[in-house]
Amino acid sequence: MKPKKQAYAFLIPDTGAFVSGGNLYNRHLIDALRELRHPIYESAQPEGLPEGVLMLTDTLLAPTLPPALAKQSGLIVHHLQSLHPPAGWKGADWFREKEWPWLRHFGWYLATSPYTADYLQSRDVSKPIEVIEPALKQLPVVQDKTAHPIQAIVVANVVERKGILPLLNAWAAAPPEGVVLSLAGNQDMEPAYAKQCLSVVEKLEGVHYLGTLTQEALQAAYARSNLLISAAYMETYGMALQEAAAAGLPVLAYAGGNVPNHVDAGRNGELCPSHTEIVSWLNKWATQPETFKPYLEHARALAPNRQRLWADAAAQFEAIKIQR
């Protein structure tokens, strides 16, 4: 008789309510664990979960969890506001005053990137930290791409942290001739900010807003593109960068947070200190396609190194020795 599989209880938001990196991570990890025959319970309310089952809590629901329950739970650390604090705050102060009072109660931490794990350790978090990076639902088809014209895509919810507006303003100031830019992401999370962005999009030639895409539509969009642009000030992981790199797309990115872990600068992409520099690279590649071609070749060659499935992530999760 095979040994009984470990059961897990996930205290998480409704993963179907909106598209976000955190929701996708939760959904795919849970589904992959179920494929491995683990009993899984999930709820947005603690009372909706059985007692005595190993529990993990999403960062969004963590602040209101009673300390006694938090002590018995691991914390899935998707994003912490202190990494990109509101205006007028320093990250260290936000962490100390707004996050540490509830974060400290958890028994252990599941970080979604080495960057996040290092950040927690830099804040003197001494409890166990495990790292399981996101993975792919399916392996993409890596295609040969032409260097001209540039057909770029940004995959990001239209929120301030993703840096969409400064990218659009930099584009407006120096429009890259012949470049097409598609923007895919949810506009409902920060409506006022999204309205600003979309009003600029309407005025720019070659820039299109696609809205929220299904996974199938997103894969088709990657197939039509030959470049991913990431304008985010901060990515704790960067699932779109992973997907694009796995599909053989070069990446042109603002160097925020975990982004440098996806980009081998000078080979499969470039890292930029400003949105203006992102547009400068676009202008260079658009007018000198021969300078963009090596990036396409390197990105295609490196793609297999980025192809890891959720089944692999679930197997890694199984190997964690969770202290109860």
Side-chain angles (χ1 to χ4, degrees):
M1 180 180 295
K2 292 183 179 180
K4 188 175 180 180
K5 290 278 191 172
Q6 174 68 58
Y8 299 103
F10 284 81
L11 182 63
I12 58 175
D14 177 4
T15 58
F18 58 93
V19 176
S20 70
N23 279 349
L24 289 172
Y25 182 98
N26 294 346
R27 180 77 276 134
H28 292 321
L29 179 59
I30 287 172
D31 289 348
L33 288 170
R34 284 192 170 126
E35 285 289 323
L36 294 175
R37 300 293 186 264
H38 287 276
I40 302 291
Y41 306 90
E42 55 182 296
S43 175
Q45 303 294 332
E47 55 269 24
L49 298 172
E51 296 182 4
V53 177
L54 285 175
M55 180 173 160
L56 291 99
T57 300
D58 186 284
T59 318
L60 290 178
L61 302 183
T64 59
L65 193 67
L69 273 180
K71 186 178 180 180
Q72 302 170 35
S73 176
L75 177 66
I76 309 172
V77 187
H78 290 305
H79 179 70
L80 294 172
Q81 187 69 52
S82 56
L83 289 164
H84 184 63
W89 282 86
K90 293 181 179 179
D93 294 337
W94 186 274
F95 182 87
R96 183 180 62 255
E97 296 182 30
K98 303 293 186 178
E99 292 170 341
W100 184 239
W102 54 264
L103 191 146
R104 65 189 176 90
H105 296 298
F106 285 85
W108 64 285
Y109 306 92
L110 177 60
T112 59
S113 69
Y115 174 85
T116 304
D118 290 344
Y119 177 75
L120 290 171
Q121 290 171 343
S122 75
R123 297 296 182 206
D124 297 324
V125 173
S126 59
K127 292 176 184 176
I129 302 170
E130 302 287 346
V131 178
I132 296 185
E133 298 181 63
L136 303 172
K137 192 172 182 180
Q138 62 187 39
L139 294 180
V141 176
V142 179
Q143 302 173 325
D144 288 325
K145 304 281 186 178
T146 58
H148 183 79
I150 293 177
Q151 300 185 69
I153 186 169
V154 172
V155 180
N157 289 328
V158 190
V159 297
E160 184 273 337
R161 180 168 62 87
K162 297 297 185 177
I164 306 297
L165 188 58
L167 174 65
L168 295 173
N169 288 336
W171 181 294
E177 185 176 349
V179 177
V180 175
L181 176 65
S182 298
L183 170 60
N186 190 320
Q187 63 172 305
D188 299 328
M189 300 175 74
E190 294 180 11
Y193 180 80
K195 185 176 180 180
Q196 277 186 286
C197 293
L198 297 184
S199 68
V200 177
V201 167
E202 292 174 357
K203 302 171 186 175
L204 297 179
E205 184 176 351
V207 181
H208 311 282
Y209 175 61
L210 305 179
T212 303
L213 300 182
T214 64
Q215 191 63 31
E216 292 74 17
L218 181 57
Q219 293 306 313
Y222 286 139
R224 294 191 302 269
S225 305
N226 58 6
L227 176 68
L228 178 95
I229 295 176
S230 173
Y233 292 109
M234 166 58 57
E235 291 284 7
T236 47
Y237 182 72
M239 293 175 73
L241 285 90
Q242 175 200 36
E243 291 171 344
L249 295 187
V251 174
L252 180 59
Y254 188 99
N258 190 58
V259 170
N261 287 327
H262 294 281
V263 181
D264 188 353
R267 298 191 69 207
N268 75 325
E270 292 292 348
L271 297 167
C272 302
S274 69
H275 297 91
T276 299
E277 185 167 326
I278 290 176
V279 175
S280 294
W281 278 105
L282 286 174
N283 274 294
K284 177 182 178 179
W285 290 339
T287 56
Q288 304 173 50
E290 70 280 3
T291 65
F292 183 48
K293 187 176 179 181
Y295 293 90
L296 290 166
E297 294 169 349
H298 285 306
R300 191 178 192 282
L302 292 172
N305 299 335
R306 317 292 173 135
Q307 295 178 350
R308 174 173 170 266
L309 293 171
W310 277 104
D312 303 313
Q316 184 185 355
F317 184 89
E318 281 187 312
I320 294 176
K321 305 299 182 185
I322 300 174
Q323 300 296 320
R324 300 193 62 175

